[in-house]
Each structure stands twice: as C-alpha cells, then as structure tokens.
Amino acid sequence: MVDDNLEILEGVAEELVFRREDTGFTVLDISTEDGELITVVGVLPEISAGEELRLSGHWDAHSTFGRQFRAELCERRMPGTVAQMLKYLASGSVKGIGPSTAVKIIEAFGEETFDVLGNHPEKLAKIRGISPKKAEQICQQFKEQYAVREIMMSLETLGLSPSEAINAYRVFGDDVTRMIMKNPYILCLSDIGMSFERVDALADTLHEKPDPGFRIRAGILHVCNHNLNNGHTCLPREKLLRPAADLLGTNNDTIDIAIDDLCDEHLLRVAKLDGREFVFLPHIFDAEYDSAQRIKMMVRFPPAGRPTLDRDIERVERKSGIHYEGKQREAIVTAIEKGILILTGGPGTGKTTTVNAILQLLEADGLHVVLTAPTGRAAQRMSEITGKEAKTIHRLLEAERTGNEQMRFARHARNPIEADAVIVDELSMVDIVLFSALMDALPMGCRLIMVGDSDQLPPVGAGNVLHDLIDSNLLPVVKLDEVFRQAMESLIVTNAHRVVGGEQPILDVKDNDFFHMERTNAARTVQDIVGLYKTRLPKAYGYDAVRDIQVLCPSRKGDAGTVNLNRVLQEAVNPPAKGKNEIKLQTRVFREGDKVMQIKNDYNINWSRGSEEGSGIFNGDVGILTSVDKQKGVVEVDFEGRKAVYPVLNLKELELAYAVTVHKSQGSEFEAVILPVVDVPPMLCYRNLFYTAVTRARSKMITIGKRATIEEMVNNDRKIRRYSALKTFLEADYGLD
C-alpha cells in the first residue's frame, strides 16, 4: 500500500554516482524541469542516464552530503526528447552502442530513433560502422530492454536484481511473473543464478504459498548442483539423501521418493554402477557416457598401419638433431599407429620434443593437424613450442551464447571441426562438459593425442577426465619419467620431481632458480613479497614486474591471500597518479596499468588484434588495463594483443591479477613465481597444489614463509575425492535403460 504522505519528485537521470548490485542501493543525480540538480538515494532498479523518473519518497538532510531525496518508489519512462535519447544511448544502456555510435544514430534519425531501434534494423545498418548483423543485435537488445521494463519492475519488487530479472525474462518469457508467483523455485533451477536459500526466503513472502513438492524437488537439485560445482559428476544415492533431508527439514524417505519423481520428469538420472546407485544431472550423465562411447570407438577402429614408420622417425631425428629415448619413441609410434594416445609426464621429461615429432610425422602425411588447449595462455605456449597456431578449445568449437545466456558450440557431430588429427595440451584442466563437447565435434577417423601432467590439480569444473582416462586402462598411455640431464640442472625441475615422489624440495642452494625465504609472520611476508615484486627481482634479473612476475597463493583469504595482496601490490606498483584514470567498483579500484584477470567465460565481449576481430574472453585470461574512459563508461583491456572493451557493468567479470590462486594459474607459465607459504589453511596444505605452483615457474621460483608449511604440503598426498563415472563407462559395457 502506497503512503499518501510521500512526496513526488520528477526529473531526468543525469549520472549514476554509486550502485551496490547485491542490494540495489543507488545514488544518482537527476535534473528537474527547473534545472536543479538533485541527489537521489534509495533501493532502486537499474537506471540509465536520460531516463525520465517519477520518484516517491521523503526529503532528507545528510550531515556530509547535504539535502537529498530518499526514494521509496520509482516509475520510469523512456527518454522523450532527442537530447534525452542521446544521453540514454551514450550511457551504454543498449549493448553495442557507445557514445560515438549514439551520436551517429541520433544525427541520422532524431525523434524517430527509438522507432528505428525497435522496428527497422535495416535502416540502422546504413550507418557507417554498423553491419547488418550488428544492427540486428542492437535492435534485439533494445527491444528486449524495452519489453521487459515493466516486467523488471514487478520482478524487482520480488527481490530480483536487474540482471536476474533480465535473465528470468529471457528464460521464461512474457509470462515470467505469473510463473514465479506460482512456483518461485524455478529461479534456482535455471541459469538465473539465484541460490536456493534466497528463493526459499522469497517463497515465504508470497501470499499464496507454492506447492511443497516444488520446494523438495528444488532442494534436491540444489544439492546436486552444489556437488557439481565441487567437482563431482554424480553422487551415490545414499550420500544425496542426508544433505537434502537436512537442507529441507524432512526425512530420507521423502527425499527418496522425490528423487524418483525427478527421474520421471527427466530432471535427474539414476544409474547402477559397480552395484551402487548413482544420481546424475542428465546433461552430465550424457557428457560422461557419450565421451566414453566415442573413446571406445576410436580404440576399436585405429587408423591403417604405416610400414615405413621406423625410417620416418629416423628421418625426423636427423632433421631435428634429436635422438628420441625409449618412451618418447613409444609415444610417437603409438600416436601414429593407434590414432589415440595420452602422453603424460612432469617437467623436463621431453613432452614438448615428443609432441613436435608427432606433429611433424602427421603433417608429413599431409594430415591437417589442429592444436588446442583449455586456456589462452596454454594455447599461446603451445604455439610458441610448435611454431604452429593453437586455439583454445572454446575458440576451436566456436563457442557462443544463446538468447537465454546459455553456452552452445557451433561445432558438433553435425558440423564437426575440420581436422585429421587433434593434439590437446593441458588435459588435466579440461572438465567433462568441455571434453564431451570436443569429442562430439571430432570428425570420424580423426586422431586424438592428449597431453597433460597427471600430478597437477584437477580441473576447476566437474569431473576428473585425465585420471579417469588413465585409470581405465582402455586406451594407450605413455608416461615419460626420465628427466633429461640439461633439465636436471634446473632446481625448479629437480624439486618438482622430488615433490611428486614425496621428497622435500631442496631449499638451501644459493644462486639457483629456486630459493626459499624463511618468514614466520604474514605481515613480514607481505612486506617482502612487495619488495621482491616491485624492486628486487626486476633489478636483479631485468623482469617487468607486471608482465613477468606472478604471485601465486594457495588461498584468496588472509593477509597472504590474493584479495589482500592484490590491494597491496596495486598500491605499490601502480599507485594513483595525475593523468592516470581509474574507476571504483564497490570495494575494488581498477586503474590504468593494472594487471587483471577474466573470472568467467564471456562469449559476447568483442576484441580486435590489428585487422583481426573476434568475440569471447574466457575464465583465466590475463591482460593489462590500458584505458579508463569514465565519460563513455568503458575500460579497455589488452589480452596479449587482443584488445577488448568492457562496459562498466561488465567489470564484475574482472579481478586484479597481481596475485592469483594456484588453481587459477593452471595452464600458464611465468618467468618468475612467488609463492607465499604462511598461514595456509589446512584444507589447502597438500602436495599437488604445491607441485602445480612450482611447475608454473619458467626461470625463477621463490617460496616465502614457513619451511614447516612446505613440509606439511609435501607430506600430505591427499587427493581430493571426486565422484565420476567416465572410468566406469570406459571399463564396462554399460547398457542404457
């Protein structure tokens, strides 16, 4: 019920001063008809410059900021004048339209601008710089935005954020509000991103309570998705019952019945594996099962033999001046004759040399060989060591977003990639969903060589692909375990192999590429990390601090975690300066010159590299923030030659990257690595995390902190248990029901 005593304020939004996305608390300036500029505060929907607002609320006198209007209700209208339209479009409200494009559009169409944007993409395409495809995209964005305004208002009153409201509309359409009122739990069973706990609280506020069965089924699926995010592709049925019952405040029998109901609705899948029932999300079951079947087919139908292979290998040896040792030669022969291979081994064991030999032999046969890796950095390194172009798996499969923000690949069984052989590096990083997509896109008869280090951390995503493939004993595996003499001259390589074998690393050798600095408290550790990063390493070895040195942390939290170290290092190596632009996003500051990392896959960000253009910046990509344009509301990031422009609203996809977690560093190499080993949480004190950090260093590895912590990590060979079914599907002739 609206308070009759509320005062009314009408005006045009001029500038968004501050907004907190999680609460909707907003500070903005509006101009009234009299030309007065007034500050408005309150929990408001997402507002763009140029919008006409009718606000209901009270006047307030702030002790610091003076007179302001505290809004409780907000009605919005699309900009009515040409000037307001320009302000609205120039603010970045419509994706694909920046300030310069906004001016061109307004100059071309004037008062008819919104009609053109809503109904006539062909007219928009006549503007220089706007292709027909881009015009269609802009018009679609505008229509969606215009259509959902009222719906968004109703959804925001239910507690959805603007981004959640937009996603809900895209997923469920015009009937979204009615659907949510009937069953709010659809919000946590889709890609909306709302947690079960939030939706549960929303359900309590509704006048008509939803069917209790909706809640039970949603709670079970929530537990399944939670475990998926923790790396499990499935759960034993009995291990699903108790957590779900505890979450929902019910008993195991109720959960058991609901699981069967969810299976009947094709929202869960139950399969008996090794005498136990396991519960899957259907798309994950399909990913593991289909991958196993394709692997079995490749093993069963190898390519034709090659009678001259020995002579061909000798020819490659003469050409390269390299003699391939026993297991290297075995790997080369297996890759050529079997057409499928897993090549694994630690640093210095000759994986690169072996891959190059396989590549030369395949290309000598006239085969089209495609090189790929899960991250941009890993792909770049693959290009450097082979001299051939390597693509990320996402780029190879031509990943894109659908209209409801889901990911899809343009390359699949009906439109396979063009390749006679595919070599995949850093397979340990590949989760089951991405692996399944790759397998689906391989043309029939295509060879597959998979390279990875089985002692690395498991992938961030679900599954344990590399280990499951190796442990199945179904397909050929060659593990290179001989460390070459020149590699053993490196203490980084020596210590990596000592750690894998459960031996403590050598920490007391002076003037080598691996050294330890003993520190007992976090404050001193942080101080010395700053000194190493900013001064000592660049001065001693000529490193560029930002580009060559990487701090890797076991954890995000604590004084020696990534959050604090990024703040401290930013102030040390890239402090505020006159003429250096910056932008604040809640508690974070992004400044020109900052090292940043993309923390989620975004298939819609456009980039350019000279005359080359593309789209998609992916989780783990690292770049330098080259410019901040507050007026346009955009920043530019250079991802090793790919220049991408981010609207301010997309900055939540970026984090400072002076320090990153060891998990996030997989697939990358750095000239120098600094690893703090002080106050490491016990749950992160394990061997393969330390090993992964060590193997990221190319020429210098510095550990700083407590030697005792290193000893604890090396002694702890605990492997993180992940439930997965790929190995079982590979081993057994599992028949579908």
Side-chain angles (χ1 to χ4, degrees), residues 183-244:
N183 177 15
Y185 294 98
I186 61 174
L187 292 170
C188 58
L189 302 181
S190 58
D191 292 325
I192 309 304
M194 291 185 67
S195 68
F196 176 81
E197 290 78 11
R198 276 185 62 198
V199 177
D200 218 20
L202 166 61
D204 282 340
T205 67
L206 298 179
H207 180 68
E208 292 188 23
K209 303 303 179 189
D211 184 328
F214 293 153
R215 178 176 184 268
I216 291 172
R217 287 193 285 275
I220 294 170
L221 291 170
H222 166 77
V223 174
C224 291
N225 278 297
H226 175 77
N227 281 279
L228 183 69
N229 292 333
N230 286 336
H232 305 288
T233 64
C234 55
L235 276 181
R237 186 166 183 148
E238 70 272 12
K239 289 190 175 292
L240 175 58
L241 297 178
R242 178 47 54 193

Side-chain angles (χ1 to χ4, degrees), residues 274-483:
D274 301 325
R276 271 174 106 183
E277 277 197 342
F278 283 78
V279 182
F280 297 77
L281 292 165
H283 73 288
I284 300 297
F285 177 94
D286 291 342
E288 293 202 290
Y289 182 83
D290 293 347
S291 296
Q293 301 315 302
R294 183 60 192 273
I295 292 286
K296 287 180 180 181
M297 184 184 297
M298 296 176 75
V299 171
R300 186 178 177 186
F301 299 103
R306 182 172 175 157
T308 63
L309 183 54
D310 286 339
R311 290 199 304 272
D312 293 338
I313 293 174
E314 290 169 4
R315 176 177 51 79
V316 172
E317 286 181 322
R318 288 194 300 273
K319 183 179 178 181
S320 59
I322 296 172
H323 175 69
Y324 301 114
E325 302 295 336
K327 286 196 173 181
Q328 286 182 304
R329 195 177 187 91
E330 179 190 346
I332 296 166
V333 171
T334 303
I336 302 301
E337 292 191 341
K338 300 294 186 182
I340 187 168
L341 169 72
I342 291 177
L343 177 65
T344 184
T349 57
K351 292 198 301 293
T352 297
T353 303
T354 307
V355 167
N356 273 324
I358 294 169
L359 177 61
Q360 289 181 60
L361 287 166
L362 292 172
E363 289 188 332
D365 279 348
L367 301 183
H368 177 44
V369 185
V370 169
L371 308 179
T372 189
T375 68
R377 285 227 165 187
Q380 182 183 1
R381 195 174 77 249
M382 202 178 186
S383 295
E384 291 168 355
I385 64 178
T386 62
K388 307 287 184 181
E389 182 189 19
K391 297 179 179 179
T392 65
I393 300 175
H394 285 91
R395 189 178 169 202
L396 176 66
L397 301 180
E398 298 176 21
E400 56 189 17
R401 283 282 183 187
T402 63
N404 61 1
E405 294 299 302
Q406 292 181 323
M407 180 181 67
R408 70 180 177 194
F409 298 106
R411 297 291 184 172
H412 43 71
R414 295 179 301 282
N415 182 31
I417 60 176
E418 296 174 4
D420 301 309
V422 173
I423 301 177
V424 188
D425 199 12
E426 296 287 355
L427 190 68
S428 65
M429 296 180 61
V430 180
D431 63 39
I432 188 59
V433 173
L434 190 58
F435 183 72
S436 175
L438 177 62
M439 298 303 296
D440 187 49
L442 294 182
M444 299 304 294
C446 184
R447 290 170 164 84
L448 179 64
I449 291 89
M450 297 168 282
V451 185
D453 186 344
S454 58
D455 293 308
Q456 298 275 2
L457 290 167
V460 175
N464 210 359
V465 172
L466 178 58
H467 279 273
D468 280 353
L469 291 174
I470 293 172
D471 293 346
S472 73
N473 295 314
L474 177 70
L475 65 167
V477 178
V478 177
K479 182 169 185 177
L480 304 179
D481 50 17
E482 180 182 348
V483 183

Side-chain angles (χ1 to χ4, degrees), residues 11-13 50-54 75-81 84:
V12 177
E51 292 190 72
E52 292 186 53
L53 306 176
R54 179 182 169 87
E75 299 174 42
R76 299 181 293 180
R77 294 190 296 274
M78 291 297 281
T81 69
Q84 290 169 5

Side-chain angles (χ1 to χ4, degrees), residues 11-19 21 24-30 40-55 71 73-77 79 87-88 91-94 145 149 152-153 156 162-163 166 649:
V12 177
E14 292 291 337
E15 182 182 5
L16 181 66
V17 179
F18 174 81
R19 178 171 175 82
E21 291 295 335
F25 179 77
T26 303
V27 181
L28 77 153
D29 291 335
I30 72 167
V40 175
V41 300
V43 177
L44 300 171
E46 196 165 322
I47 293 167
S48 301
E51 292 190 72
E52 292 186 53
L53 306 176
R54 179 182 169 87
L55 302 159
L73 297 171
C74 176
E75 299 174 42
R76 299 181 293 180
R77 294 190 296 274
K87 187 180 293 289
Y88 178 79
S91 70
S93 300
V94 180
Q145 192 176 71
R149 295 180 72 80
M152 283 183 62
M153 290 293 290
E156 288 168 11
S163 60
I166 290 172
L649 291 175

Side-chain angles (χ1 to χ4, degrees), residues 110 113 121 320 645:
T113 293
S320 59
V645 177

